[in-house]
Amino acid sequence: MFNDYQILEVTNKRLKKTYTEQILRVLPDWFGKEDSLLEYVETVDKHPFWGVFEAGVCVGFASGMIHHERTGEIYVCGLHPDYHRKGLGRRLYETLENYFICQGCEYVMVKTLSPLHPDIHYAKTRKFYEAVGLKGFYTDHDIWGHENPCLIMLKYIGKKV
């Protein structure tokens, strides 16, 4: 199944922005707020970035950042809806986690919408993160505001070398 897809690191800043915008725009149930979408597009070029490609076309991506040399954060990621449930999201996640391990990180974290909010799309997102081993750590009402409670999810990936 994976022979038709490639996961490649993207270092070109313009391409990072282009791929991010293309994918996030086809995910309005997750990234429907224009100001948030544009913030990701404008800042993603500062972070490590991998894309999943089919016949040279980017169909998904994952970008991360490192905090305090010990925690890798999934900064932003997305996969075209036509490619959901094919194992590609997991492969992107594993690529990012391996990068964090190689950088000496001990944890992977992600911020997502808390289950205190009834959004069905983010319920699927949380299930994906749980399937790759992340666990809910705590909910914060200040990061995105009380109407959008932020769940911090965390996974221990090993002792720092």
Side-chain angles (χ1 to χ4, degrees):
M1 174 197 310
F2 296 131
N3 294 339
D4 297 337
Y5 304 101
Q6 286 186 298
I7 294 183
L8 302 170
E9 184 174 12
V10 177
T11 57
N12 180 291
K13 292 182 176 200
R14 183 184 54 78
L15 289 177
K16 289 179 185 185
K17 290 179 179 211
T18 298
Y19 297 150
T20 298
E21 185 164 14
Q22 287 173 346
I23 297 301
L24 296 187
R25 291 227 179 262
V26 297
L27 297 169
D29 295 324
W30 286 269
F31 297 96
K33 293 183 179 179
E34 185 71 7
D35 56 337
S36 296
L37 185 148
L38 292 176
E39 183 178 340
Y40 283 124
V41 170
E42 289 306 313
T43 58
V44 74
D45 64 332
K46 297 173 180 71
H47 306 293
F49 187 104
W50 286 264
V52 59
F53 297 87
E54 179 184 45
V57 175
C58 184
V59 299
F61 73 94
S63 180
M65 59 198 305
I66 296 176
H67 301 284
H68 307 292
E69 299 179 356
R70 63 185 292 206
T71 303
E73 178 180 350
I74 301 168
Y75 177 61
V76 62
C77 60
L79 188 63
H80 191 288
D82 292 347
Y83 296 85
H84 287 188
R85 310 287 308 154
K86 295 179 184 274
L88 297 172
R90 179 178 290 273
R91 284 189 59 210
L92 273 170
Y93 169 80
E94 289 168 351
T95 299
L96 198 53
E97 182 180 290
N98 286 333
Y99 167 78
F100 293 144
I101 290 168
C102 289
Q103 299 302 309
C105 292
E106 296 176 65
Y107 301 94
V108 174
M109 69 167 280
V110 68
K111 294 184 285 239
T112 191
L113 195 58
S114 166
L116 296 175
H117 191 288
D119 188 287
I120 60 169
H121 304 289
Y122 278 93
K124 293 176 188 175
T125 298
R126 288 188 302 275
K127 282 185 181 182
F128 169 76
Y129 288 135
E130 290 167 355
V132 296
L134 286 117
K135 300 197 183 308
F137 183 60
Y138 78 97
T139 296
D140 189 298
H141 293 277
D142 295 325
I143 294 175
W144 297 329
H146 197 339
E147 66 284 351
N148 293 305
C150 176
L151 175 66
I152 307 295
M153 299 184 79
L154 196 63
K155 178 182 179 181
Y156 178 71
I157 56 173
K159 203 144 183 85
K160 188 171 180 180
V161 287

